Amino acid sequence: MIEKLKQVIEEIKVLSINNADELEVFRIKYLSRKGIISDLFELFKSIPNDQKKETGKVMNELKQTAEIKYNELKVVFGDQQKEEKTATDISLPGEPIYLGSRHPIYIFQNKVLDVFRKLGFTIAEGPEIEDDWHNFSGLNFPDNHPARDMQDTFFINKDYSLRTHCTSVQVRIMENQSPPIRVVMPGRVYRNEAISARSHCFFHQIDGVYIDKNVSFADLKQTLYFFVKELFGEDYGIRFRPSYFPFTEPSAEMDIACIICKGTGCNVCKHTGWLEILGCGMIDPNVLQVNGINPDEYSGFAFGMGVERTTMMLYGIKDIRVLSQNDIRFLSQFSSQ
Ligand code: DAH
């Protein structure tokens, strides 16, 4: 038996193993439960007791020889295997980086803001959760005045609501700045309205305000003419209609020639040739007064426009809901903008 064991030891010593696969074959052949060494241990049990001591020594030598060889080579080939797995194949084509796209609402909003920037307006934002003062009372909506019914409001509690218009930011500007004031205020507003293809319970507005000495309705008109000219081109049809807002006096609504039919009449403009795009007016002296600006010294104009309707018209979008559904198939169409 000793001879046999020594023979196996020699065999193991000279065996050449060149990679992880060969090492695994080695392990199975010698060291596994059904391997050669295990078989020899079985055989060892049956040899006469007086031979056990000497044979046992050689048995152990065999086992150690196999284990040392295995462990040493495992370090070599194990690492090699790991390296192979983590190595970067620099010949692979790169992963494409997809560029995000700007939302059509913000494409249009940026265009509008750019026009007013040219006229020296700065940009301000305010909170979407607003108190009664900034959304209503500071804008000349008396308590229980029917004008409050003009806006279907989401109340959070008795004192706070989601703002129903960006005109609330105007109040914040007036209380924090002194004239001359020239600011545009973009943002999201909320109204308790049934959601359909044409209306939503949240949408975007851009308000603007200009307060200085001797500001007149002529300044308002000229500013809005410039705005329409920059956005839609020279000689674009425009008209003002008298209107009512609690915070402006006089108040007006401005229409532009229908973007679709250019004023000749179509379904979109209900065959009037006109589209209403904003409300405006001279800031009511009461509003200046309660917000700390002397109406005898200063006057101002203000305007507020909805963003969704004009954006929809510009891009031929038929349903307002797609603007807030985050459908990548819709949004990616604007990726070049
Ligand atoms: N806040 C008005 C609305 O939501 C729009 C508006 C009209 C804003 C006249 C103004 C303005 O600043 O002067 O319908």
Side-chain angles (χ1 to χ4, degrees), residues 223-286:
T223 304
L224 295 177
Y225 281 144
F226 178 79
F227 162 67
V228 173
K229 193 182 93 182
E230 287 286 303
L231 216 59
F232 300 105
E234 201 84 44
D235 295 330
Y236 208 86
I238 235 177
R239 75 175 183 187
F240 287 85
R241 284 177 291 107
S243 185
Y244 170 78
F245 301 103
F247 35 90
T248 44
E249 181 58 38
S251 306
E253 266 163 323
M254 189 180 88
D255 299 342
I256 57 168
C258 175
I259 294 171
I260 308 294
C261 66
K262 306 279 180 286
T264 53
C266 68
N267 281 340
V268 173
C269 61
K270 302 201 186 89
H271 298 281
T272 62
W274 296 101
L275 298 169
E276 177 198 322
I277 71 159
L278 55 79
C280 58
M282 298 307 292
I283 301 174
D284 192 305
N286 278 344

Side-chain angles (χ1 to χ4, degrees), residues 128 130 135-136 151-154 161-166 168 189-191 203 205:
E128 292 183 11
E130 198 49 285
N135 200 71
F136 293 118
Q151 328 243 320
D152 305 301
T153 310
F154 284 118
S161 63
L162 295 178
R163 68 178 174 197
T164 57
H165 53 180
C166 277
S168 58
V189 303
Y190 301 82
R191 294 199 193 162
F203 50 96
Q205 287 188 335

Side-chain angles (χ1 to χ4, degrees), residues 9-27:
I9 291 174
E10 273 321 297
E11 192 181 292
I12 290 175
K13 278 186 179 160
V14 297
L15 194 70
S16 106
I17 296 172
N18 299 310
N19 55 45
D21 292 341
E22 286 177 18
L23 183 62
E24 184 60 6
V25 172
F26 170 81
R27 188 190 64 78

Side-chain angles (χ1 to χ4, degrees), residues 1 5 40-41 44 55-63:
M1 168 116 193
L5 295 176
L40 287 169
F41 266 101
F44 175 74
T55 315
K57 260 165 78 183
V58 189
M59 258 322 301
N60 282 339
E61 191 189 330
L62 166 63
K63 194 166 180 237

